[in-house]
Amino acid sequence: MIENFLAAVSGEQLDALYRKWQRSEDSVPEEWRFLFSGFELGMDLPTSLNNKFDETAALKLSGVQSLIYRYRSIGHLIACTDPLSSCRISHPQLELSNFGLEERDLEKQFVCRRFIKERATLAEILNTMRETYCREIGVEFMHIENPDERQWLIDRMEPSRNHPNLTADEKLHILEMLHKAALFEAFLHRRFIGQKRFSLEGGEILIPVMDRIVSSSPESGITDIVMGMSHRGRLNVLAHILHKPYQTIFAEFRELNSLGFTGDGDVKYHKGYSSDVDANGKSVHITIAANPSHLEAVNAVVEGKSRARQDRYGTNGNSRVLPLLIHGDAAFAGQGSVMEVLNMSGLAGYSTGGTIHLVLNNQIGFTTLPKDARSTNYATDVAKMLSCPIFHVQGESPEAAMQAVGLAMEYRREFKRDVVIELICYRRHGHNEGDEPAFTQPKMYGQIAARTPVNFMYAAYLAKECGISANRLEMLEQNVNNALETAFNLPSKDVAVGFADRWSDFQKKYVNAAVETEVATEKLVTLARRLAALPASFSPHKKIETLIQKRFEAVLKGVGIDWGNAETLAYATLLDQGYSVRLSGQDSQRGTFNHRHCVLVDGSSEYNYKPLESVAREGAVFQVWNSLLSEFGVMGFEYGYSLENPKCLTIWEAQFGDFANGAQVVIDQFISSGETKWNRASGLILLLPHGYEGQGAEHSSARIERFLQLCANENMFVVCPSTPAQMFHLLRRQMLQTFRKPLIVFTPKSLLRNPLSVSSISEFSEGSFKKCIVSNGNISTARQLLFCSGKIFYELQEELVKAGVVDTVIVRIEQLYPLDTVELLGIVELCNSECRFSWVQEEPENMGAWYFVERQFRKLSVTLNYIGRAADSCPAVGSHHINAEQQIEIIGKAFMF
């Protein structure tokens, strides 16, 4: 037996394996872990017993350790966590025979390693393992790589058998929250027949769980909770966790409330809310982010809001602010954005000190069963990528849920890492209250219809097992019903929406007024000098050192200031004025096109130095992060950050502009429409590299047409700056104007190094951002006006000069939206009656700005001709040669009239 097992390895190999195991048990295969555990346990036996080696005893000791390890690893597979299924009482891998143990060993004592007792009978060990890991809580934690974290959990679960010690008052409070959750839904069903509310019935356990999180927050030093969740149960959470008045919710069902702002509004189960809640005598500020129907889309927004608030609080910010996300089972397993957000949790630029994830498992997604919705055993398996604990809790066992919450809150406080609690329950009705689930799941919904609601089940348990009187229990229920009936007859309370606290200094509406963004030459030179002064011991790459000095010399001489220099100066001047700057995107520290270099790397030590930090006024912070390879998650994060901090220039940069379509949900549902739906303004900037240089369909177009299609009622800026000075003023304007709107900037690629695309110092120290730029020429005598935007201007200008054309004037429209039609009309009215007006673009006819601009000119009674590529289903050709030919053809047509 054991001799045969050991014969396969040499003494040296055995010794090396043993020492490796001593350093980390998980570093060797399972069979070796059992052998070495048994060996050390055998060494702990009295000397008299060691005089003669007992192979059977050693194997049994090893088997006991193996059994303990196995229960910790897979005990969750037979945990009784599904209220709709009978409980499994055994698992083949947990049979005693697998460990060389028998029934007659139950009363034998064994020496145990890393167990609550040094010596215990096998029966005691089995009882502890089954009670801890195979009841109403199934725990997955042995996949956690850090042995200290695993032991920390073991030390808090096994002594209590994973059962909380609750007082009678605490149990009654749980019942009260269950009554509030269940009776609220019943009341809405009765009073507002047929209206959608996306009921929480079947998952009422969520309310006491969230209540427990809030009430225990002060113990963990938490002062703020930022929440995100979808529509199911949202009204219940608003009412009972954020204490939104019942009468306000009822008024929304009656549609009696005004929006409280000018806009389109949204359905009641998408709206955000915030309030200060009493948690055992201490105040906790709770915010629930507004969200669309797109499941899990709000997750990144919540993380960004949380990080911004944590940054504002300073060094202990991640202890004070808790991100709390409520997921559905089908969405958690199915939506890729979940993985993107989980991946942020350990990254310096995006971490939030641990998020608590509550997965409300209805065991169905609309009409789709788990077997058709995921390839994994659990809906939560994607979270294992973080090596974090996952608690699977029976949705009709409130006390088990309280235990899981306690462990989750403690773990997050101790390790600053994510935790997942899956509440396995059911959905009593269909996807919405008008849907009939029995059409597709007749057996499941036959079971559900016969089940007693959890609030009444728990009340019966308290009466029978805890001896609480029937009168006391009935009064608790009656009080909840009375509160609902009373509120139904009360007038609605007005709720302030948006533009409070840090937003109170900002105007709600767009203002078409010039913003003074110029900076004195002396100040620019001073800042440029400080940016060029590197630490004495710091040695960057020689080319970067030369670049830095050239930038400074350009400012000093007042000519040849390029795009990278202008952008850096914009950030420097804002930081000098006390505004923070946060830039985030793929390769943003260097810049995709090698133009930015705002983080310098020492050639020897690889120490990172950020020159812009040296110019920040006290209180202002410069952050630039190379993001994870994600668009959806990171753009959503930065949008959330911008909501929380209107005095921070918050920027998301795409590697190439068209990559933004990976975050189309964020653009459509949050950035372009968040203010009109929820009265939540954002000053987020999207930097989208755009331009046709023969790099193919995926590296040419940032899809200008899609952004312009989303524009209405001055909801955002869409801009294509053509000079470094324009970029400088544009970035500064975003912070210095009196309101906040998202800013979409189509940034250059080849222009970054075009010697013609530079600016002089006077363009920075005088004037402001120009919405239109008219090139040299006499408009009144011109036979043609060419309107364009972006890079193509330089190609048109080059041809104009080369061909000696004197009767054409080129007009650059720098700000496509809001389009300054007054200024454009003024330009057009200067022209003679024979003048021809054309729009020139690189993009195909059905893309770019053409359709938008043509419609706006038509409103001015101006006819525009189109010059550009023919309509296409693809933004650009794959051939560099063909692209060049097309470009020559466009320029040629512009001057053929």
Side-chain angles (χ1 to χ4, degrees), residues 290-437:
N291 70 284
S293 280
H294 295 64
L295 299 175
E296 309 295 338
V298 78
N299 297 352
V301 178
V302 167
E303 297 295 341
K305 280 175 65 70
S306 300
R307 175 59 180 260
R309 191 167 292 203
Q310 290 172 355
D311 285 351
R312 192 173 73 251
Y313 284 151
T315 51
N316 68 336
N318 63 6
S319 295
R320 289 186 57 182
V321 182
L322 169 67
L324 174 60
L325 293 174
I326 297 90
H327 313 269
D329 55 310
F332 197 73
Q335 293 292 324
S337 60
V338 171
M339 185 277 291
E340 294 185 34
V341 173
L342 290 173
N343 194 26
M344 293 178 182
S345 66
L347 303 179
Y350 309 91
S351 64
T352 52
T355 298
I356 291 187
H357 302 267
L358 302 178
V359 180
L360 193 66
N361 189 341
N362 296 311
Q363 305 194 59
I364 193 168
F366 209 137
T367 65
T368 304
L369 291 171
K371 67 182 179 66
D372 299 313
R374 64 176 187 262
S375 299
T376 58
N377 187 28
Y378 291 114
T380 55
D381 280 344
V382 66
K384 288 181 182 176
M385 65 182 279
L386 297 186
S387 290
C388 67
I390 302 170
F391 301 95
H392 306 282
V393 183
Q394 217 269 24
E396 292 179 340
S397 181
E399 294 183 15
M402 296 305 103
Q403 171 71 1
V405 168
L407 289 167
M409 292 292 281
E410 275 192 76
Y411 178 87
R412 193 258 180 189
R413 178 177 60 189
E414 182 71 19
F415 298 106
K416 299 289 186 290
R417 304 210 318 116
D418 287 30
V419 193
V420 178
I421 301 175
E422 181 187 28
L423 303 170
I424 302 172
C425 45
Y426 55 85
R427 189 188 67 198
R428 187 167 288 277
H429 303 293
H431 177 67
N432 62 63
E433 289 66 39
D435 190 43
E436 178 48 77

Side-chain angles (χ1 to χ4, degrees), residues 9 90 99 116 178 180 229 243 255-256 316 369 445 458 592 650 712 779 804 831 852:
V9 294
S90 64
F99 308 99
I116 54 175
L178 287 171
K180 285 182 175 181
M229 69 179 298
H243 300 174
E255 297 192 358
L256 296 177
N316 68 336
L369 291 171
Y445 274 87
Y458 192 58
T592 300
T650 307
I779 293 179
C831 298
F852 174 82

Side-chain angles (χ1 to χ4, degrees), residues 597-653:
H597 294 287
C598 59
V599 177
L600 310 181
V601 182
D602 185 89
S604 300
S605 66
E606 294 196 349
Y607 167 75
N608 286 354
Y609 174 66
K610 302 184 184 76
L612 281 162
E613 290 181 342
S614 69
V615 301
R617 183 180 294 183
E618 185 177 355
V621 178
F622 175 70
Q623 298 182 60
V624 57
W625 300 103
N626 286 338
S627 76
L628 59 156
L629 196 62
S630 152
E631 288 80 36
F632 192 151
V634 180
M635 188 190 293
F637 186 99
E638 302 307 338
Y639 171 79
Y641 200 100
S642 74
L643 294 178
E644 193 67 27
N645 192 347
K647 293 185 179 179
C648 175
L649 187 77
T650 307
I651 304 169
W652 178 81
E653 180 179 46

Side-chain angles (χ1 to χ4, degrees), residues 203-220:
E204 294 94 340
I205 190 71
L206 179 66
I207 299 303
V209 163
M210 294 182 71
D211 175 75
R212 186 75 163 192
I213 289 172
V214 174
S215 64
S216 61
S217 287
E219 299 171 30
S220 299

Side-chain angles (χ1 to χ4, degrees), residues 131 158 231 314 489 501 513 520 568 734 739:
E131 287 281 302
E158 292 178 11
H231 42 281
N489 297 308
D501 301 324
T568 302
Q734 187 70 357
F739 58 92

